[in-house]
Amino acid sequence: AQSVTQPDIHITVSEGASLELRCNYSYGATPYLFWYVQSPGQGLQLLLKYFSGDTLVQGIKGFEAEFKRSQSSFNLRKPSVHWSDAAEYFCAVADDGQNFVFGPGTRLSVLP
Amino acid sequence: SQTIHQWPATLVQPVGSPLSLECTVEGTSNPNLYWYRQAAGRGLQLLFYSVGIGQISSEVPQNLSASRPQDRQFILSSKKLLLSDSGFYLCAWSTSPFAGAQEQYFGPGTRLTVT
């Protein structure tokens, strides 16, 4: 079965600084990978996804993520963080069946 | 466009009382439907998923149950709530029979507090 780890429980960055959120997965075959964002008390919104092809994927709100098979990673990046990016971020991995597994999440705080 | 609704938005129930949370999807047909629970400060735990009317798969043994009486309606129920049932319940849908081939779209969630 697949699994997802997000090593950072909580990250604080200053507004305008760059951001990288880490995600590592465990899965025997090529995974389907996702990043979601959750604002407090809200549902999850899809930021981006990787199914195949180019390992650098662009998402909404200026986010991007890079799939590195050799490192089993799918890290999320943003060059300049805005105060509105403060939220909880979830990495998820799925196989080609019904198995969709989320990581524990990373809470992002943004300092003015 | 597709939308997903959940209600109620918040719910406070005593231990031992019944539960019924509803989720409906608009703008799509024959979606896959999912119920997740998110405990405070924790990730998402898949509770149930359904690939069609009357077809429910349970991922975690518990005192909760799910039903899909209509194509775009998914209901989460309990006969007797436990304190441990408190959490944020999220409904989601996808368009593919294979969860990995399509992303899931989430509803706004229901905050359940069992007292």
Side-chain angles (χ1 to χ4, degrees):
Chain A
Q2 61 269 43
S3 65
V4 180
T5 57
Q6 293 180 246
D8 305 304
I9 297 174
H10 184 204
I11 285 181
T12 300
V13 300
S14 298
E15 191 169 19
S18 63
L19 172 70
E20 182 170 29
L21 301 182
R22 296 183 291 166
C23 171
N24 293 97
Y25 68 90
S26 173
Y27 183 57
T30 299
Y32 300 92
L33 296 162
F34 309 82
W35 274 102
Y36 284 85
V37 61
Q38 183 182 32
S39 297
Q42 303 296 316
L44 276 70
Q45 181 184 22
L46 180 70
L47 286 175
L48 47 79
K49 61 187 178 185
Y50 171 79
F51 288 167
S52 64
D54 192 348
T55 56
L56 183 63
V57 294
Q58 302 297 320
I60 62 172
K61 303 184 179 185
F63 285 92
E64 67 178 25
E66 186 171 13
F67 170 54
K68 292 186 177 180
R69 184 188 302 275
S70 62
Q71 298 178 21
S72 297
S73 68
F74 188 56
N75 293 348
L76 182 71
R77 300 193 294 249
K78 186 170 185 177
S80 178
V81 171
H82 189 262
W83 64 266
S84 60
D85 293 325
E88 188 94 18
Y89 291 80
F90 292 94
C91 181
V93 60
D95 60 16
D96 58 359
Q98 301 297 331
N99 301 307
F100 207 100
V101 176
F102 286 85
T106 297
R107 184 161 62 93
L108 173 66
S109 296
V110 180
L111 299 175
Chain B
S1 63
Q2 301 89 356
T3 55
I4 179 170
H5 304 280
Q6 287 186 245
W7 63 87
T10 60
L11 190 60
V12 180
Q13 293 283 100
V15 169
S17 64
L19 172 73
S20 181
L21 303 181
E22 188 164 344
C23 170
T24 59
V25 180
E26 296 177 354
T28 188
S29 296
N30 196 30
N32 289 337
L33 295 171
Y34 309 85
W35 276 113
Y36 289 89
R37 177 169 58 201
Q38 187 177 26
R42 311 266 307 265
L44 279 75
Q45 179 187 37
L46 178 63
L47 301 175
F48 301 95
Y49 68 89
S50 171
V51 299
I53 296 174
Q55 301 178 63
I56 309 295
S57 296
S58 174
E59 291 295 305
V60 181
Q62 63 233 316
N63 69 321
L64 300 172
S65 62
S67 62
R68 186 170 177 174
Q70 301 180 40
D71 181 44
R72 290 169 290 178
Q73 184 185 31
F74 205 24
I75 297 173
L76 183 69
S77 304
S78 175
K79 293 182 179 179
K80 289 185 178 181
L81 283 169
L82 306 173
L83 285 174
S84 58
D85 291 324
S86 293
F88 193 50
Y89 288 81
L90 289 159
C91 181
W93 70 275
S94 68
T95 59
S96 170
F98 301 105
Q102 276 293 343
E103 61 269 30
Q104 295 184 7
Y105 301 92
F106 285 81
T110 295
R111 173 75 58 191
L112 172 66
T113 302
V114 182
T115 60

